[in-house]
Amino acid sequence: MKSFDRIIFNPKIMAGQTCIRGMRVPVSLVLNLVANGQTPETIIEDYPYLEPEDIQRSLQYTGQRSPHPG
């Protein structure tokens, strides 16, 4: 299982949304950007305080949290 130490939940940050490294960057934002065709490189250009591993862990976290059929 992957470590999700970059993904945090704090009720005092972004109204408790799951965020990246305690910043005000919700995992859902990264997921939405990727789903709409943004590459990790363009996301980092727009959000230079993010690192490639932040994006990777966000996607892995979302995949881990999604219900699996069967």
Side-chain angles (χ1 to χ4, degrees):
M1 178 181 277
K2 297 284 184 192
S3 169
F4 296 116
D5 56 339
R6 291 177 173 258
I7 308 300
I8 64 102
F9 170 81
N10 183 335
K12 295 180 180 180
I13 299 174
M14 296 295 292
Q17 293 183 58
T18 308
C19 292
I20 300 170
R21 291 188 287 127
M23 298 184 288
R24 294 183 171 280
V25 180
V27 169
S28 60
L29 171 66
V30 173
L31 183 63
N32 190 10
L33 292 171
V34 171
N36 283 290
Q38 295 278 346
T39 64
E41 293 79 18
T42 58
I43 294 171
I44 290 170
E45 284 177 18
D46 292 338
Y47 301 89
Y49 39 85
L50 291 178
E51 299 172 1
E53 192 172 350
D54 295 326
I55 297 166
Q56 182 181 16
R57 290 290 186 256
S58 295
L59 296 173
Q60 290 169 339
Y61 175 81
T62 303
Q64 190 78 19
R65 299 285 300 160
S66 298
H68 300 282

